Amino acid sequence: MNTIQKVAIVTGAGQGLGLAIAQKLLSEGMNVAFVDVNERLLAEVQQSDLLTHFDSSKYMFLTVDVSDVLAIQASIHTIVESWGRVDVLVNNAGVRKETAIEDVTEEEWNLILSVNLGGTFFYSQAVLETMKKQQSGRIINISSFGGQAGPLSSGAHYCASKAGQLVLTKAFARSLADQGITVNAVAPAAIETPEMDNMDPTKLEKMQASIPVQRFGKAEEVADMVSYLASDAAGYITGSTFDINGGLLMR
Ligand SMILES: NC(=O)c1ccc[n+]([C@@H]2O[C@H](COP(=O)([O-])OP(=O)(O)OC[C@H]3O[C@@H](n4cnc5c(N)ncnc54)[C@H](O)[C@@H]3O)[C@@H](O)[C@H]2O)c1
């Protein structure tokens, strides 16, 4: 019996949650396309020892700005030409700003909305032809606590983009449910990232104390949840949002 070689695309895979998710799916045997706008980050991953255990035919690095629809389409073309299918799309690429409402410029609004929300919409749209042909697929959108509860520290524009992802999750899920394609969202909060190294320790301590489980989350914990949603076991789950926030929001 031929077993299918699964193919995953992870956007924003140059660092942080995206990198942890891409590594996790790779470690589970999938072929993984690491997508990021930042060529330097992708080069650092490529040169690091993170991938030494994997055959180089199992991964590729694609420099793509997810707010550029033509670049998205070109990346899907490259992936399908090389690997023949797309089983999993993780829309993780995101830009977060804390700008106060009074100071948000049109330029910053457009950046946040076009990357976080537009990127999710157009990458999902671009994989549909292939997933529909296969009559199978998993789309997982990395939203945020901010898209559910509104801003704590993040800006209104960021939270609006993250809330928009949750509605897109339902819209795509409903439209694709009868074709073997599931669409779900993960809503993290306060996950440890390199960004925290540059933050004021007193502010960090205060943040940590406000989390019911009294610690920050780990990127690997988000990756584990994504891996479950990407698996065959999750076929009856669609249109849902999975919170991973240490109890910050209980609903
Ligand atoms: N870390 C957290 O606590 C947390 C909490 C809630 C939600 N999230 C969400 O998780 C996702 C990842 O967060 P993170 O903390 O790892 O962020 P990060 O800033 O460390 O990583 C984001 C990655 O996305 C890439 N990226 C940015 N703009 C892009 C574009 N236009 N095209 C392609 N790639 C682009 C960046 O280069 C970077 O590699 C984001 O969508 C974020 O909103 C994170």
Side-chain angles (χ1 to χ4, degrees):
M1 198 180 77
N2 280 345
T3 47
I4 291 166
Q5 174 55 60
K6 286 195 175 175
V7 171
I9 303 171
V10 182
T11 70
Q15 67 174 21
L17 304 192
L19 177 57
I21 293 165
Q23 277 183 275
K24 175 77 182 173
L25 299 181
L26 199 53
S27 74
E28 289 177 340
M30 293 190 200
N31 285 1
V32 179
F34 289 65
V35 167
D36 207 288
V37 71
N38 189 325
E39 209 167 349
R40 179 186 54 79
L41 288 177
L42 289 179
E44 277 172 20
V45 175
Q46 203 162 9
Q47 283 150 23
S48 72
D49 55 8
L50 296 173
L51 302 174
T52 44
H53 301 304
F54 303 103
D55 189 292
S56 60
S57 65
K58 303 280 300 169
Y59 53 81
M60 66 170 85
F61 293 91
L62 297 172
T63 308
V64 179
D65 179 344
V66 302
S67 67
D68 178 343
V69 180
L70 291 179
I72 290 174
Q73 290 165 349
S75 75
I76 302 294
H77 185 75
T78 304
I79 292 161
V80 173
E81 279 237 311
S82 307
W83 291 334
R85 50 190 297 123
V86 177
D87 297 283
V88 179
L89 167 67
V90 184
N91 287 306
N92 165 83
V95 182
R96 191 181 79 90
K97 302 262 186 207
E98 300 191 356
T99 316
I101 288 173
E102 291 81 354
D103 300 327
V104 172
T105 59
E106 186 181 2
E107 190 187 2
E108 191 173 293
W109 170 269
N110 288 339
L111 169 75
I112 301 278
L113 271 290
S114 64
V115 173
N116 299 3
L117 191 54
T120 297
F121 182 85
F122 287 108
Y123 240 114
S124 304
Q125 184 193 57
V127 296
L128 286 191
E129 189 187 339
T130 306
M131 286 188 176
K132 280 184 179 175
K133 258 190 222 149
Q134 296 164 185
Q135 288 286 292
S136 70
R138 299 271 188 265
I139 299 175
I140 299 151
N141 297 324
I142 309 301
S143 175
S144 172
F145 164 90
Q148 301 170 300
L152 279 180
S153 56
S154 303
H157 48 354
Y158 171 82
C159 293
S161 73
K162 292 285 151 182
Q165 281 183 305
L166 299 180
V167 179
L168 286 187
T169 299
K170 293 180 193 174
F172 276 78
R174 202 173 287 284
S175 147
L176 298 165
D178 62 353
Q179 303 200 57
I181 303 165
T182 67
V183 187
N184 291 290
V186 173
I191 310 297
E192 263 170 11
T193 57
E195 193 192 358
M196 281 187 179
D197 297 343
N198 308 321
M199 282 171 70
D200 170 18
T202 321
K203 195 176 161 194
L204 278 178
E205 234 170 76
K206 235 172 118 183
M207 260 173 75
Q208 185 163 313
S210 72
I211 301 169
V213 304
Q214 297 286 295
R215 68 168 176 87
F216 293 115
K218 295 183 193 322
E220 292 70 27
E221 292 174 309
V222 177
D224 284 349
M225 185 174 282
V226 170
S227 135
Y228 173 67
L229 291 172
S231 74
D232 291 340
Y236 198 55
I237 303 173
T238 198
S240 295
T241 297
F242 291 81
D243 303 348
I244 176 155
N245 59 32
L248 265 177
L249 176 72
M250 301 185 187
R251 60 190 177 103

